[in-house]
Structure formats: C-alpha cells, structure tokens
C-alpha cells in the first residue's frame, strides 16, 4: 500500500528554567497511513531518538490556543518577541517543556492538512471499503 510522508527537521529548545534552555534537534513526521497522528522524534545524546506520538488535531489547535491535557499539552506564546509553540510532555520517565518556532510548525502542519484535509482522515484508512466488502458477503 502506498502512503505519503510529510517530514520537517527543526531545532526545538528544551526549557530547563526561565533563563536557560538547550537546543534539541527534532523531526516532525506525518504519515497518511496513520492520518490522525503526528510523530516527533527528539534526537538527544543517545543511540536512539525519543519518539512521541499524539493527535494532529491537538497540535493544530495548540498553535492557536491552549490544547490538550494529561501527557501532552500544547499552547502558543511569545518569547523575546518571537511566536513560539510550547509543548509540555509528561511520562513516567519525566517531564519536558519544549519550545518550537511557531512559523515552522505551522508551515509543516499546513502541508499535512493539504495532504489529508481535516475530516477526511477516515478515508485514508479504507474502513468504509473494508466494511462494504465484509457486509456484501
């Protein structure tokens, strides 16, 4: 089965304190075979990247207003006059607050929305066709 991948490399900032942060290279990925999700791989000082997967809708909403609860929260803000998107990630291994350039995240999200417009994600999965085949028997 053929599917499309939309990726973007960018540098995020891991916020350690209000005055201090460190750069974290990351890759945003969206795949049409998993149309409801976005994937972020953080390339930290380890052999394997740290991967997070969450709702594309949560990230789209988080670019404009606070979104999410629990393990993933996203919201827009300004830092030193720049528009950024903050992502708070929580897991049993710890918590992280990451800052991403809003323009780069928004441009990448727009590409994903052109590939699979909102509301058409289910069509990518072929569920209707599979149900039709199943019920036709």
């Amino acid at each position: 089965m053929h599917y499309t991948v939309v990726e973007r490399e960018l540098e995020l900032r891991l916020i350690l304190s209000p005055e201090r942060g460190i750069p974290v290279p990351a890759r945003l990925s969206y795949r049409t075979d998993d149309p409801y999700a976005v994937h972020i791989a953080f390339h930290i000082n380890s052999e394997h990247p740290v991967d997070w997967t969450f709702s594309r809708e949560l990230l789209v909403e988080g670019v404009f207003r606070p979104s999410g609860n629990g393990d993933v929260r996203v919201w827009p803000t300004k830092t030193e006059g720049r528009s950024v998107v903050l992502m708070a990630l929580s897991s049993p291994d710890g918590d992280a607050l990451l800052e991403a350039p809003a323009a780069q995240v928004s441009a990448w999200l727009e590409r994903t929305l052109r590939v699979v417009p909102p509301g058409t994600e289910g069509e990518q999965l072929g569920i209707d066709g599979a149900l039709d085949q199943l019920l036709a028997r």
Side-chain angles (χ1 to χ4, degrees):
M1 180 175 174
H2 175 72
Y3 62 91
T4 302
V5 177
V6 179
E7 290 186 325
R8 169 87 192 233
E9 297 280 339
L10 72 153
E11 187 171 277
L12 304 181
R13 200 168 141 242
L14 176 62
I15 308 298
L16 302 174
S17 73
E19 304 82 30
R20 193 161 162 252
I22 58 172
V24 177
R27 176 184 298 122
L28 301 174
S29 298
Y30 177 78
R31 300 187 319 252
T32 56
D33 67 329
D34 191 7
Y36 291 102
V38 294
H39 307 271
I40 303 179
F42 301 103
H43 307 289
I44 56 175
N45 296 330
S46 67
E47 193 172 309
H48 304 286
V50 175
D51 296 307
W52 276 79
T53 300
F54 53 89
S55 160
R56 177 176 72 162
E57 183 178 352
L58 185 149
L59 186 57
V60 168
E61 187 174 318
V63 168
F64 298 102
R65 65 190 147 276
S67 177
N69 54 33
D71 295 345
V72 179
R73 293 177 294 121
V74 182
W75 67 96
T77 193
K78 288 206 181 276
T79 300
E80 299 171 1
R82 298 176 298 116
S83 293
V84 296
V85 176
L86 293 177
M87 292 179 276
L89 307 175
S90 298
S91 78
D93 296 326
D95 301 327
L97 178 61
L98 295 139
E99 176 185 289
Q104 292 179 21
V105 172
S106 294
W108 174 76
L109 279 169
E110 285 177 22
R111 288 175 47 211
T112 74
L113 296 169
R114 281 194 299 270
V115 171
V116 179
T120 67
E121 295 91 349
E123 297 168 19
Q124 299 297 314
L125 300 174
I127 293 172
D128 291 339
L131 275 174
D132 288 345
Q133 287 181 352
L134 182 66
L135 296 174
R137 294 181 183 179

